[in-house]
Amino acid sequence: AIYQKPHTPLTIEDVELSDLRADEVLVRTVCSGVCHSDMHFVDGLWALPMPAVLGHEASGVVERVGANVGYVKPGDRVIMSFKPFCGQCYYCIRGEAHLCNDPGLAARGAQHLKWQGKPVLQMASVGSFSEYMITPESGVVKIPADMPMAEAALIGCGVMTGVGAAINTAQIKPGSSVIIFGAGGVGIAAIQGARIAGAAEIVAVDKVDSKLELALKFGATHAIRPEAVESTKASVTGGEGFDYAIECVGHPALIRQSFDVTRRGGTAVIVGVGRLTEEVKFNAFEMFYHEKNLKGSMFGSANVRLDFDRLLRLWKYGKLDLEGMISRRIKLGEVNEAFRAMQQGEVIRSVIEYS
């Protein structure tokens, strides 16, 4: 499916694949989630070189590997990681591969596909709204042969981002109080992460009643509309504020509110991605006086080869619900309908199944 310009439906087209480099892998796409990040490009919220193949939350089967690839072989089932790592930069050496800033890895995503003689960008080195994907060896994570592929795909973005924000970035402690703004796919995953971490109170905030009902099913102890935040803060925390707040929307007012409802010494984690032109303001005194922690969370602060396996094991033993997050199973030609359903709050995730 080709993204040609904002506010325009994606179209199904034939594209050409390049040859593999020595450190690259060709993956046949089996399943792809339809994520809010994909929709933000179509809506014009974020900019991306065009034309492009969107999609970055995916699972597949390895078809071919480059001469220097040793981690996977043809036939292996994998989850795609939209943040390949070089293993050599400042951040990789520090054990923060999710922050890898190797410009060469990012640039390769524009070199693998052609359409009508023009280069086509693969979103985030994945481009899973396509039958095939080419990515660096570090862009795949092996999974067991018996893992359901639709559920596996969700781990590649929304689940890792949300659960990781709760467990890795916030480092929620057992018995703590947590408030989560936004109960979409990432928010539901953050709720599950808070539950897995042992939070006592988990408050989900959203404008859509159906999402609040789902939040309770996935582990929230309270599910409220935005106007009830202050009263719930008073009843749950005695007015002191929550130990942790996780913002999954990317709206400046909610980022500010997540900081405000956190107790002194507490932690507010920002997962949602807003516009480059939008700002959040804090005064110099409050940052010192309240000693709060304000943290960003990129990809759930993930070590993908370690954390994807942890999430798979949590799913295997019934501690992480992936099946319940799949609202609809669709074909690639229904991707524009999936965007509409997401905008209307009708789904947690639509998953494209290729076979």
Side-chain angles (χ1 to χ4, degrees), residues 212 309 311 335:
L212 296 177
D309 180 64
L311 295 178
V335 64

mmCIF file of all heavy atoms in Angstrom, residues 212 309 311 335:
data_model
loop_
_atom_site.group_PDB
_atom_site.id
_atom_site.type_symbol
_atom_site.label_atom_id
_atom_site.label_comp_id
_atom_site.label_asym_id
_atom_site.label_seq_id
_atom_site.Cartn_x
_atom_site.Cartn_y
_atom_site.Cartn_z
ATOM 1 N N LEU A 212 -12.811 3.012 27.821
ATOM 2 C CA LEU A 212 -12.758 2.901 29.275
ATOM 3 C C LEU A 212 -13.245 1.536 29.736
ATOM 4 O O LEU A 212 -12.703 0.947 30.680
ATOM 5 C CB LEU A 212 -13.584 4.016 29.919
ATOM 6 C CG LEU A 212 -13.066 5.436 29.665
ATOM 7 C CD1 LEU A 212 -14.004 6.461 30.282
ATOM 8 C CD2 LEU A 212 -11.651 5.603 30.228
ATOM 9 N N ASP A 309 11.462 -11.266 24.132
ATOM 10 C CA ASP A 309 11.375 -12.608 24.708
ATOM 11 C C ASP A 309 10.628 -12.578 26.042
ATOM 12 O O ASP A 309 9.816 -13.471 26.329
ATOM 13 C CB ASP A 309 12.776 -13.179 24.897
ATOM 14 C CG ASP A 309 12.753 -14.577 25.497
ATOM 15 O OD1 ASP A 309 12.235 -15.504 24.840
ATOM 16 O OD2 ASP A 309 13.222 -14.746 26.642
ATOM 17 N N LEU A 311 8.281 -10.499 26.918
ATOM 18 C CA LEU A 311 6.864 -10.308 26.628
ATOM 19 C C LEU A 311 6.232 -11.594 26.101
ATOM 20 O O LEU A 311 5.085 -11.913 26.437
ATOM 21 C CB LEU A 311 6.681 -9.173 25.620
ATOM 22 C CG LEU A 311 7.088 -7.780 26.112
ATOM 23 C CD1 LEU A 311 6.898 -6.754 25.002
ATOM 24 C CD2 LEU A 311 6.324 -7.371 27.354
ATOM 25 N N VAL A 335 -6.965 -1.339 4.570
ATOM 26 C CA VAL A 335 -6.160 -0.513 5.474
ATOM 27 C C VAL A 335 -6.770 0.867 5.693
ATOM 28 O O VAL A 335 -6.711 1.414 6.804
ATOM 29 C CB VAL A 335 -4.703 -0.411 4.958
ATOM 30 C CG1 VAL A 335 -4.628 0.315 3.620
ATOM 31 C CG2 VAL A 335 -3.807 0.260 5.985
#
